[in-house]
Amino acid sequence: MEMMIRGRRNRCSAAIRGLVRENRLAVEDLILPVFFHEDSEDVAIASMPGCTRWSMAGLLKEVKSAYEIGIRAVVLFPKIDDALKSEDAAECANDAGLVPKAIRAIKEACPRICVITDVALDPYNSDGHDGLVVRDKNGELKILNDETVEVLCRQALCHARAGADIVAPSDMMDGRIGAIREALDDAGFTETGILAYTVKYASAFYGPFRGALDSAPKEGDKKTYQMDPGNVREAIRELLMDEEEGADIVMVKPAGPYLDVIARVRDETTLPVAAYQVSGEYLMIKSACAGDWLDEKAVVMESLLGIKRAGADMILTYFAKDAAKWIHEGLV
Ligand code: PBG
């Protein structure tokens, strides 16, 4: 055959493939979410095989071991004792609470790691919603916006006081980014960053996470604040608001089923873009790889590379430690 152009020439050896590869996953791209509780025992999480809800001692070990293999950022997810949950979620801003305690302990054990905290009320709220809840006259649940934002500001300040580097509001209330930025600045925390869950869908893929923290809403769903999975123009609208309000990093969540949204957001902003490979994506890969038909390492790395290629600068993933090891082993 006479052909001037042959695509396969650029694929004919590992060396050439390495030269022409357009996207790569690096250990620095990875953010490890960690679960922990007040108990002194480390407990395996049934809904997320391979993940653990750590005691404080276990958490510090986990964070240090992540740091040792190159992971430079963690995001904290507490399981709060039922006795501390209330309708006003007041525990979320308790300076002596579990999260501030964990931030201080991590900063002491591993001072250079970037500590990111989740800002939302669901672990603290007796009804499991991300915001404050009231009932309207028809008995329907209503999630209050402006009143919630005030509480979120107190929660973010509490995390900043304890030493969090970045706060990450995952609640999807309107105006919270601007309000939190102002509250942080007024209190002198001008260097505390905001990673906004800008585009967070009302997704069925969060199920295993809610199992891990026992934080599922007691009633109703999150569709009046999290986004409709059919929408993408709305994602850009949320992006423009969060940019205007002072977000430092914007996030799309979930990641795998929303690669088109990551790509759109990447095109529309100059801000760094994060993507969250959520608990349901994790569980799907884990369960599918339990048999012999899929190679877990290869599938995990391909799923993460796909998220990177779509436009994410950084990825929150429960596979962060595995992926870091595989990157070091040269299995990319
Ligand atoms: C809480 C929060 C959720 C997740 C991160 N922060 C659950 C939710 O919104 O219901 C989900 C993460 C995952 O599924 O891995 N605001």
Side-chain angles (χ1 to χ4, degrees), residues 215-251:
S215 64
K218 298 275 175 297
E219 190 185 323
D221 53 41
K222 300 194 175 184
K223 290 180 185 168
T224 67
Y225 43 107
Q226 299 179 348
M227 272 182 50
D228 188 307
N231 294 355
V232 65
R233 285 197 310 268
E234 190 182 356
I236 305 309
R237 193 159 179 244
E238 290 288 342
L239 169 67
L240 295 175
M241 290 192 276
D242 283 358
E243 280 189 323
E244 190 109 314
E245 292 177 35
D248 299 288
I249 303 171
V250 291
M251 178 145 71

PDB file of all heavy atoms in Angstrom, residues 215-251:
ATOM      1  N   SER A 215     -24.624   9.216  56.602  1.00  0.00           N
ATOM      2  CA  SER A 215     -25.056  10.607  56.434  1.00  0.00           C
ATOM      3  C   SER A 215     -26.146  10.774  55.381  1.00  0.00           C
ATOM      4  O   SER A 215     -26.357  11.865  54.874  1.00  0.00           O
ATOM      5  CB  SER A 215     -23.847  11.476  56.060  1.00  0.00           C
ATOM      6  OG  SER A 215     -23.336  11.063  54.798  1.00  0.00           O
ATOM      7  N   ALA A 216     -26.820   9.678  55.026  1.00  0.00           N
ATOM      8  CA  ALA A 216     -27.885   9.797  54.024  1.00  0.00           C
ATOM      9  C   ALA A 216     -29.027  10.646  54.574  1.00  0.00           C
ATOM     10  O   ALA A 216     -29.317  10.593  55.768  1.00  0.00           O
ATOM     11  CB  ALA A 216     -28.402   8.414  53.647  1.00  0.00           C
ATOM     12  N   PRO A 217     -29.686  11.449  53.716  1.00  0.00           N
ATOM     13  CA  PRO A 217     -30.817  12.236  54.207  1.00  0.00           C
ATOM     14  C   PRO A 217     -31.901  11.309  54.758  1.00  0.00           C
ATOM     15  O   PRO A 217     -32.189  10.275  54.170  1.00  0.00           O
ATOM     16  CB  PRO A 217     -31.314  12.987  52.977  1.00  0.00           C
ATOM     17  CG  PRO A 217     -30.558  12.488  51.813  1.00  0.00           C
ATOM     18  CD  PRO A 217     -29.440  11.633  52.292  1.00  0.00           C
ATOM     19  N   LYS A 218     -32.459  11.684  55.901  1.00  0.00           N
ATOM     20  CA  LYS A 218     -33.481  10.848  56.540  1.00  0.00           C
ATOM     21  C   LYS A 218     -34.764  10.881  55.706  1.00  0.00           C
ATOM     22  O   LYS A 218     -35.549   9.965  55.707  1.00  0.00           O
ATOM     23  CB  LYS A 218     -33.790  11.359  57.953  1.00  0.00           C
ATOM     24  CG  LYS A 218     -32.586  11.322  58.895  1.00  0.00           C
ATOM     25  CD  LYS A 218     -32.413   9.954  59.557  1.00  0.00           C
ATOM     26  CE  LYS A 218     -31.168   9.866  60.403  1.00  0.00           C
ATOM     27  NZ  LYS A 218     -29.877  10.016  59.707  1.00  0.00           N
ATOM     28  N   GLU A 219     -34.960  12.019  55.027  1.00  0.00           N
ATOM     29  CA  GLU A 219     -36.177  12.171  54.246  1.00  0.00           C
ATOM     30  C   GLU A 219     -35.858  13.022  53.022  1.00  0.00           C
ATOM     31  O   GLU A 219     -35.046  13.942  53.098  1.00  0.00           O
ATOM     32  CB  GLU A 219     -37.216  12.894  55.129  1.00  0.00           C
ATOM     33  CG  GLU A 219     -38.601  12.915  54.539  1.00  0.00           C
ATOM     34  CD  GLU A 219     -39.550  13.754  55.404  1.00  0.00           C
ATOM     35  OE1 GLU A 219     -39.438  13.726  56.646  1.00  0.00           O
ATOM     36  OE2 GLU A 219     -40.391  14.452  54.811  1.00  0.00           O
ATOM     37  N   GLY A 220     -36.498  12.694  51.906  1.00  0.00           N
ATOM     38  CA  GLY A 220     -36.320  13.507  50.703  1.00  0.00           C
ATOM     39  C   GLY A 220     -34.977  13.251  50.040  1.00  0.00           C
ATOM     40  O   GLY A 220     -34.250  12.328  50.400  1.00  0.00           O
ATOM     41  N   ASP A 221     -34.672  14.083  49.034  1.00  0.00           N
ATOM     42  CA  ASP A 221     -33.402  13.931  48.329  1.00  0.00           C
ATOM     43  C   ASP A 221     -32.725  15.293  48.258  1.00  0.00           C
ATOM     44  O   ASP A 221     -33.176  16.245  48.879  1.00  0.00           O
ATOM     45  CB  ASP A 221     -33.642  13.339  46.933  1.00  0.00           C
ATOM     46  CG  ASP A 221     -34.673  14.149  46.173  1.00  0.00           C
ATOM     47  OD1 ASP A 221     -34.626  15.397  46.263  1.00  0.00           O
ATOM     48  OD2 ASP A 221     -35.545  13.561  45.510  1.00  0.00           O
ATOM     49  N   LYS A 222     -31.627  15.381  47.499  1.00  0.00           N
ATOM     50  CA  LYS A 222     -30.858  16.629  47.489  1.00  0.00           C
ATOM     51  C   LYS A 222     -31.079  17.425  46.206  1.00  0.00           C
ATOM     52  O   LYS A 222     -30.282  18.295  45.851  1.00  0.00           O
ATOM     53  CB  LYS A 222     -29.380  16.306  47.717  1.00  0.00           C
ATOM     54  CG  LYS A 222     -29.108  15.607  49.061  1.00  0.00           C
ATOM     55  CD  LYS A 222     -27.627  15.588  49.438  1.00  0.00           C
ATOM     56  CE  LYS A 222     -27.424  14.984  50.833  1.00  0.00           C
ATOM     57  NZ  LYS A 222     -26.005  15.041  51.269  1.00  0.00           N
ATOM     58  N   LYS A 223     -32.179  17.109  45.507  1.00  0.00           N
ATOM     59  CA  LYS A 223     -32.375  17.692  44.173  1.00  0.00           C
ATOM     60  C   LYS A 223     -32.703  19.179  44.169  1.00  0.00           C
ATOM     61  O   LYS A 223     -32.650  19.809  43.119  1.00  0.00           O
ATOM     62  CB  LYS A 223     -33.476  16.929  43.437  1.00  0.00           C
ATOM     63  CG  LYS A 223     -33.047  15.528  43.050  1.00  0.00           C
ATOM     64  CD  LYS A 223     -34.148  14.788  42.325  1.00  0.00           C
ATOM     65  CE  LYS A 223     -33.678  13.353  42.080  1.00  0.00           C
ATOM     66  NZ  LYS A 223     -34.749  12.474  41.643  1.00  0.00           N
ATOM     67  N   THR A 224     -33.087  19.746  45.331  1.00  0.00           N
ATOM     68  CA  THR A 224     -33.362  21.190  45.314  1.00  0.00           C
ATOM     69  C   THR A 224     -32.087  21.998  45.477  1.00  0.00           C
ATOM     70  O   THR A 224     -32.109  23.222  45.377  1.00  0.00           O
ATOM     71  CB  THR A 224     -34.377  21.626  46.399  1.00  0.00           C
ATOM     72  OG1 THR A 224     -33.780  21.431  47.690  1.00  0.00           O
ATOM     73  CG2 THR A 224     -35.684  20.863  46.291  1.00  0.00           C
ATOM     74  N   TYR A 225     -30.954  21.331  45.744  1.00  0.00           N
ATOM     75  CA  TYR A 225     -29.698  22.102  45.765  1.00  0.00           C
ATOM     76  C   TYR A 225     -28.624  21.526  44.856  1.00  0.00           C
ATOM     77  O   TYR A 225     -27.894  22.267  44.234  1.00  0.00           O
ATOM     78  CB  TYR A 225     -29.190  22.353  47.193  1.00  0.00           C
ATOM     79  CG  TYR A 225     -29.234  21.214  48.194  1.00  0.00           C
ATOM     80  CD1 TYR A 225     -28.057  20.574  48.592  1.00  0.00           C
ATOM     81  CD2 TYR A 225     -30.428  20.792  48.780  1.00  0.00           C
ATOM     82  CE1 TYR A 225     -28.079  19.550  49.537  1.00  0.00           C
ATOM     83  CE2 TYR A 225     -30.454  19.766  49.718  1.00  0.00           C
ATOM     84  CZ  TYR A 225     -29.284  19.138  50.086  1.00  0.00           C
ATOM     85  OH  TYR A 225     -29.303  18.136  51.015  1.00  0.00           O
ATOM     86  N   GLN A 226     -28.522  20.183  44.743  1.00  0.00           N
ATOM     87  CA  GLN A 226     -27.538  19.629  43.815  1.00  0.00           C
ATOM     88  C   GLN A 226     -28.122  19.646  42.391  1.00  0.00           C
ATOM     89  O   GLN A 226     -29.336  19.654  42.207  1.00  0.00           O
ATOM     90  CB  GLN A 226     -27.161  18.214  44.243  1.00  0.00           C
ATOM     91  CG  GLN A 226     -26.535  18.211  45.643  1.00  0.00           C
ATOM     92  CD  GLN A 226     -26.163  16.828  46.141  1.00  0.00           C
ATOM     93  OE1 GLN A 226     -26.552  15.826  45.561  1.00  0.00           O
ATOM     94  NE2 GLN A 226     -25.413  16.779  47.230  1.00  0.00           N
ATOM     95  N   MET A 227     -27.225  19.629  41.389  1.00  0.00           N
ATOM     96  CA  MET A 227     -27.687  19.859  40.010  1.00  0.00           C
ATOM     97  C   MET A 227     -28.321  18.642  39.344  1.00  0.00           C
ATOM     98  O   MET A 227     -27.986  17.510  39.628  1.00  0.00           O
ATOM     99  CB  MET A 227     -26.506  20.332  39.147  1.00  0.00           C
ATOM    100  CG  MET A 227     -26.315  21.834  39.170  1.00  0.00           C
ATOM    101  SD  MET A 227     -24.951  22.333  38.108  1.00  0.00           S
ATOM    102  CE  MET A 227     -25.329  21.491  36.598  1.00  0.00           C
ATOM    103  N   ASP A 228     -29.185  18.941  38.389  1.00  0.00           N
ATOM    104  CA  ASP A 228     -29.847  17.910  37.595  1.00  0.00           C
ATOM    105  C   ASP A 228     -28.838  17.289  36.617  1.00  0.00           C
ATOM    106  O   ASP A 228     -28.153  18.008  35.891  1.00  0.00           O
ATOM    107  CB  ASP A 228     -30.978  18.605  36.820  1.00  0.00           C
ATOM    108  CG  ASP A 228     -31.862  17.620  36.096  1.00  0.00           C
ATOM    109  OD1 ASP A 228     -31.332  16.784  35.334  1.00  0.00           O
ATOM    110  OD2 ASP A 228     -33.088  17.696  36.274  1.00  0.00           O
ATOM    111  N   PRO A 229     -28.725  15.955  36.612  1.00  0.00           N
ATOM    112  CA  PRO A 229     -27.746  15.293  35.739  1.00  0.00           C
ATOM    113  C   PRO A 229     -27.905  15.606  34.245  1.00  0.00           C
ATOM    114  O   PRO A 229     -26.987  15.366  33.469  1.00  0.00           O
ATOM    115  CB  PRO A 229     -27.991  13.800  36.007  1.00  0.00           C
ATOM    116  CG  PRO A 229     -28.510  13.763  37.397  1.00  0.00           C
ATOM    117  CD  PRO A 229     -29.364  15.002  37.546  1.00  0.00           C
ATOM    118  N   GLY A 230     -29.023  16.124  33.825  1.00  0.00           N
ATOM    119  CA  GLY A 230     -29.203  16.437  32.401  1.00  0.00           C
ATOM    120  C   GLY A 230     -28.599  17.758  31.979  1.00  0.00           C
ATOM    121  O   GLY A 230     -28.582  18.085  30.784  1.00  0.00           O
ATOM    122  N   ASN A 231     -28.099  18.543  32.937  1.00  0.00           N
ATOM    123  CA  ASN A 231     -27.739  19.925  32.607  1.00  0.00           C
ATOM    124  C   ASN A 231     -26.240  20.175  32.490  1.00  0.00           C
ATOM    125  O   ASN A 231     -25.458  19.691  33.301  1.00  0.00           O
ATOM    126  CB  ASN A 231     -28.301  20.863  33.678  1.00  0.00           C
ATOM    127  CG  ASN A 231     -29.815  20.874  33.655  1.00  0.00           C
ATOM    128  OD1 ASN A 231     -30.437  20.256  32.788  1.00  0.00           O
ATOM    129  ND2 ASN A 231     -30.417  21.580  34.595  1.00  0.00           N
ATOM    130  N   VAL A 232     -25.893  20.976  31.473  1.00  0.00           N
ATOM    131  CA  VAL A 232     -24.496  21.392  31.349  1.00  0.00           C
ATOM    132  C   VAL A 232     -24.362  22.911  31.211  1.00  0.00           C
ATOM    133  O   VAL A 232     -23.410  23.497  31.711  1.00  0.00           O
ATOM    134  CB  VAL A 232     -23.760  20.613  30.225  1.00  0.00           C
ATOM    135  CG1 VAL A 232     -24.342  20.922  28.851  1.00  0.00           C
ATOM    136  CG2 VAL A 232     -22.264  20.897  30.244  1.00  0.00           C
ATOM    137  N   ARG A 233     -25.330  23.583  30.584  1.00  0.00           N
ATOM    138  CA  ARG A 233     -25.272  25.058  30.557  1.00  0.00           C
ATOM    139  C   ARG A 233     -25.323  25.597  31.981  1.00  0.00           C
ATOM    140  O   ARG A 233     -24.657  26.558  32.332  1.00  0.00           O
ATOM    141  CB  ARG A 233     -26.446  25.641  29.759  1.00  0.00           C
ATOM    142  CG  ARG A 233     -26.328  25.516  28.263  1.00  0.00           C
ATOM    143  CD  ARG A 233     -27.301  26.476  27.579  1.00  0.00           C
ATOM    144  NE  ARG A 233     -28.650  26.368  28.117  1.00  0.00           N
ATOM    145  CZ  ARG A 233     -29.593  25.563  27.628  1.00  0.00           C
ATOM    146  NH1 ARG A 233     -29.356  24.805  26.591  1.00  0.00           N
ATOM    147  NH2 ARG A 233     -30.800  25.543  28.181  1.00  0.00           N
ATOM    148  N   GLU A 234     -26.134  24.935  32.800  1.00  0.00           N
ATOM    149  CA  GLU A 234     -26.271  25.350  34.192  1.00  0.00           C
ATOM    150  C   GLU A 234     -24.925  25.246  34.934  1.00  0.00           C
ATOM    151  O   GLU A 234     -24.659  26.011  35.861  1.00  0.00           O
ATOM    152  CB  GLU A 234     -27.331  24.476  34.874  1.00  0.00           C
ATOM    153  CG  GLU A 234     -27.741  24.950  36.240  1.00  0.00           C
ATOM    154  CD  GLU A 234     -28.770  24.010  36.895  1.00  0.00           C
ATOM    155  OE1 GLU A 234     -29.213  23.037  36.253  1.00  0.00           O
ATOM    156  OE2 GLU A 234     -29.118  24.272  38.051  1.00  0.00           O
ATOM    157  N   ALA A 235     -24.094  24.289  34.493  1.00  0.00           N
ATOM    158  CA  ALA A 235     -22.768  24.142  35.109  1.00  0.00           C
ATOM    159  C   ALA A 235     -21.943  25.399  34.867  1.00  0.00           C
ATOM    160  O   ALA A 235     -21.225  25.876  35.758  1.00  0.00           O
ATOM    161  CB  ALA A 235     -22.051  22.920  34.532  1.00  0.00           C
ATOM    162  N   ILE A 236     -22.068  25.949  33.672  1.00  0.00           N
ATOM    163  CA  ILE A 236     -21.306  27.160  33.339  1.00  0.00           C
ATOM    164  C   ILE A 236     -21.828  28.345  34.147  1.00  0.00           C
ATOM    165  O   ILE A 236     -21.079  29.210  34.598  1.00  0.00           O
ATOM    166  CB  ILE A 236     -21.375  27.450  31.811  1.00  0.00           C
ATOM    167  CG1 ILE A 236     -20.903  26.211  31.027  1.00  0.00           C
ATOM    168  CG2 ILE A 236     -20.559  28.681  31.448  1.00  0.00           C
ATOM    169  CD1 ILE A 236     -19.568  25.637  31.459  1.00  0.00           C
ATOM    170  N   ARG A 237     -23.129  28.361  34.358  1.00  0.00           N
ATOM    171  CA  ARG A 237     -23.731  29.421  35.165  1.00  0.00           C
ATOM    172  C   ARG A 237     -23.189  29.365  36.602  1.00  0.00           C
ATOM    173  O   ARG A 237     -22.808  30.384  37.185  1.00  0.00           O
ATOM    174  CB  ARG A 237     -25.245  29.213  35.153  1.00  0.00           C
ATOM    175  CG  ARG A 237     -26.009  30.364  35.668  1.00  0.00           C
ATOM    176  CD  ARG A 237     -27.449  30.323  35.174  1.00  0.00           C
ATOM    177  NE  ARG A 237     -28.138  31.455  35.726  1.00  0.00           N
ATOM    178  CZ  ARG A 237     -29.163  31.367  36.579  1.00  0.00           C
ATOM    179  NH1 ARG A 237     -29.628  30.175  36.930  1.00  0.00           N
ATOM    180  NH2 ARG A 237     -29.719  32.458  37.055  1.00  0.00           N
ATOM    181  N   GLU A 238     -23.132  28.170  37.161  1.00  0.00           N
ATOM    182  CA  GLU A 238     -22.571  27.996  38.505  1.00  0.00           C
ATOM    183  C   GLU A 238     -21.102  28.411  38.526  1.00  0.00           C
ATOM    184  O   GLU A 238     -20.623  29.045  39.473  1.00  0.00           O
ATOM    185  CB  GLU A 238     -22.693  26.531  38.957  1.00  0.00           C
ATOM    186  CG  GLU A 238     -24.107  26.064  39.260  1.00  0.00           C
ATOM    187  CD  GLU A 238     -24.671  26.649  40.549  1.00  0.00           C
ATOM    188  OE1 GLU A 238     -23.894  27.146  41.397  1.00  0.00           O
ATOM    189  OE2 GLU A 238     -25.911  26.632  40.712  1.00  0.00           O
ATOM    190  N   LEU A 239     -20.387  28.054  37.455  1.00  0.00           N
ATOM    191  CA  LEU A 239     -18.967  28.392  37.345  1.00  0.00           C
ATOM    192  C   LEU A 239     -18.768  29.912  37.380  1.00  0.00           C
ATOM    193  O   LEU A 239     -17.912  30.427  38.105  1.00  0.00           O
ATOM    194  CB  LEU A 239     -18.402  27.797  36.046  1.00  0.00           C
ATOM    195  CG  LEU A 239     -17.013  28.266  35.635  1.00  0.00           C
ATOM    196  CD1 LEU A 239     -15.972  27.775  36.642  1.00  0.00           C
ATOM    197  CD2 LEU A 239     -16.666  27.762  34.236  1.00  0.00           C
ATOM    198  N   LEU A 240     -19.582  30.626  36.587  1.00  0.00           N
ATOM    199  CA  LEU A 240     -19.421  32.083  36.522  1.00  0.00           C
ATOM    200  C   LEU A 240     -19.673  32.711  37.890  1.00  0.00           C
ATOM    201  O   LEU A 240     -18.957  33.629  38.309  1.00  0.00           O
ATOM    202  CB  LEU A 240     -20.378  32.683  35.477  1.00  0.00           C
ATOM    203  CG  LEU A 240     -20.082  32.253  34.028  1.00  0.00           C
ATOM    204  CD1 LEU A 240     -21.149  32.789  33.074  1.00  0.00           C
ATOM    205  CD2 LEU A 240     -18.691  32.720  33.590  1.00  0.00           C
ATOM    206  N   MET A 241     -20.656  32.176  38.611  1.00  0.00           N
ATOM    207  CA  MET A 241     -20.944  32.720  39.941  1.00  0.00           C
ATOM    208  C   MET A 241     -19.781  32.464  40.900  1.00  0.00           C
ATOM    209  O   MET A 241     -19.339  33.355  41.610  1.00  0.00           O
ATOM    210  CB  MET A 241     -22.238  32.092  40.504  1.00  0.00           C
ATOM    211  CG  MET A 241     -23.484  32.566  39.781  1.00  0.00           C
ATOM    212  SD  MET A 241     -25.003  32.120  40.661  1.00  0.00           S
ATOM    213  CE  MET A 241     -25.275  30.445  40.114  1.00  0.00           C
ATOM    214  N   ASP A 242     -19.271  31.221  40.893  1.00  0.00           N
ATOM    215  CA  ASP A 242     -18.198  30.888  41.840  1.00  0.00           C
ATOM    216  C   ASP A 242     -16.908  31.653  41.520  1.00  0.00           C
ATOM    217  O   ASP A 242     -16.163  32.039  42.427  1.00  0.00           O
ATOM    218  CB  ASP A 242     -17.935  29.370  41.852  1.00  0.00           C
ATOM    219  CG  ASP A 242     -19.015  28.624  42.641  1.00  0.00           C
ATOM    220  OD1 ASP A 242     -19.918  29.291  43.186  1.00  0.00           O
ATOM    221  OD2 ASP A 242     -18.946  27.382  42.715  1.00  0.00           O
ATOM    222  N   GLU A 243     -16.658  31.887  40.228  1.00  0.00           N
ATOM    223  CA  GLU A 243     -15.482  32.681  39.844  1.00  0.00           C
ATOM    224  C   GLU A 243     -15.614  34.095  40.394  1.00  0.00           C
ATOM    225  O   GLU A 243     -14.702  34.629  41.009  1.00  0.00           O
ATOM    226  CB  GLU A 243     -15.382  32.765  38.321  1.00  0.00           C
ATOM    227  CG  GLU A 243     -14.779  31.542  37.689  1.00  0.00           C
ATOM    228  CD  GLU A 243     -14.501  31.752  36.207  1.00  0.00           C
ATOM    229  OE1 GLU A 243     -15.307  32.435  35.528  1.00  0.00           O
ATOM    230  OE2 GLU A 243     -13.468  31.247  35.739  1.00  0.00           O
ATOM    231  N   GLU A 244     -16.781  34.660  40.161  1.00  0.00           N
ATOM    232  CA  GLU A 244     -17.066  36.020  40.601  1.00  0.00           C
ATOM    233  C   GLU A 244     -16.958  36.150  42.121  1.00  0.00           C
ATOM    234  O   GLU A 244     -16.543  37.159  42.653  1.00  0.00           O
ATOM    235  CB  GLU A 244     -18.503  36.348  40.181  1.00  0.00           C
ATOM    236  CG  GLU A 244     -18.865  37.781  40.347  1.00  0.00           C
ATOM    237  CD  GLU A 244     -18.990  38.447  38.983  1.00  0.00           C
ATOM    238  OE1 GLU A 244     -18.112  38.245  38.126  1.00  0.00           O
ATOM    239  OE2 GLU A 244     -19.982  39.137  38.800  1.00  0.00           O
ATOM    240  N   GLU A 245     -17.354  35.082  42.821  1.00  0.00           N
ATOM    241  CA  GLU A 245     -17.378  35.119  44.289  1.00  0.00           C
ATOM    242  C   GLU A 245     -16.032  34.795  44.920  1.00  0.00           C
ATOM    243  O   GLU A 245     -15.898  34.808  46.137  1.00  0.00           O
ATOM    244  CB  GLU A 245     -18.453  34.145  44.812  1.00  0.00           C
ATOM    245  CG  GLU A 245     -19.871  34.590  44.495  1.00  0.00           C
ATOM    246  CD  GLU A 245     -20.917  33.572  44.951  1.00  0.00           C
ATOM    247  OE1 GLU A 245     -20.725  32.922  45.987  1.00  0.00           O
ATOM    248  OE2 GLU A 245     -21.937  33.429  44.253  1.00  0.00           O
ATOM    249  N   GLY A 246     -15.042  34.448  44.084  1.00  0.00           N
ATOM    250  CA  GLY A 246     -13.694  34.290  44.634  1.00  0.00           C
ATOM    251  C   GLY A 246     -13.210  32.870  44.859  1.00  0.00           C
ATOM    252  O   GLY A 246     -12.277  32.651  45.640  1.00  0.00           O
ATOM    253  N   ALA A 247     -13.789  31.893  44.161  1.00  0.00           N
ATOM    254  CA  ALA A 247     -13.283  30.513  44.277  1.00  0.00           C
ATOM    255  C   ALA A 247     -11.852  30.459  43.745  1.00  0.00           C
ATOM    256  O   ALA A 247     -11.512  31.139  42.772  1.00  0.00           O
ATOM    257  CB  ALA A 247     -14.168  29.558  43.485  1.00  0.00           C
ATOM    258  N   ASP A 248     -11.006  29.651  44.391  1.00  0.00           N
ATOM    259  CA  ASP A 248      -9.630  29.481  43.919  1.00  0.00           C
ATOM    260  C   ASP A 248      -9.502  28.282  42.986  1.00  0.00           C
ATOM    261  O   ASP A 248      -8.647  28.246  42.106  1.00  0.00           O
ATOM    262  CB  ASP A 248      -8.698  29.276  45.118  1.00  0.00           C
ATOM    263  CG  ASP A 248      -8.717  30.479  46.034  1.00  0.00           C
ATOM    264  OD1 ASP A 248      -8.156  31.513  45.640  1.00  0.00           O
ATOM    265  OD2 ASP A 248      -9.338  30.407  47.109  1.00  0.00           O
ATOM    266  N   ILE A 249     -10.323  27.282  43.237  1.00  0.00           N
ATOM    267  CA  ILE A 249     -10.338  26.058  42.430  1.00  0.00           C
ATOM    268  C   ILE A 249     -11.805  25.678  42.272  1.00  0.00           C
ATOM    269  O   ILE A 249     -12.587  25.833  43.216  1.00  0.00           O
ATOM    270  CB  ILE A 249      -9.586  24.911  43.154  1.00  0.00           C
ATOM    271  CG1 ILE A 249      -8.142  25.317  43.480  1.00  0.00           C
ATOM    272  CG2 ILE A 249      -9.606  23.622  42.325  1.00  0.00           C
ATOM    273  CD1 ILE A 249      -7.396  24.336  44.391  1.00  0.00           C
ATOM    274  N   VAL A 250     -12.178  25.209  41.089  1.00  0.00           N
ATOM    275  CA  VAL A 250     -13.570  24.784  40.904  1.00  0.00           C
ATOM    276  C   VAL A 250     -13.609  23.279  40.661  1.00  0.00           C
ATOM    277  O   VAL A 250     -12.680  22.711  40.099  1.00  0.00           O
ATOM    278  CB  VAL A 250     -14.257  25.534  39.732  1.00  0.00           C
ATOM    279  CG1 VAL A 250     -14.462  26.997  40.093  1.00  0.00           C
ATOM    280  CG2 VAL A 250     -13.475  25.404  38.431  1.00  0.00           C
ATOM    281  N   MET A 251     -14.685  22.657  41.113  1.00  0.00           N
ATOM    282  CA  MET A 251     -14.746  21.192  41.009  1.00  0.00           C
ATOM    283  C   MET A 251     -15.994  20.717  40.291  1.00  0.00           C
ATOM    284  O   MET A 251     -17.053  21.325  40.376  1.00  0.00           O
ATOM    285  CB  MET A 251     -14.705  20.570  42.402  1.00  0.00           C
ATOM    286  CG  MET A 251     -14.818  19.062  42.385  1.00  0.00           C
ATOM    287  SD  MET A 251     -13.846  18.271  43.645  1.00  0.00           S
ATOM    288  CE  MET A 251     -14.736  18.704  45.099  1.00  0.00           C
TER     289      MET A 251
END
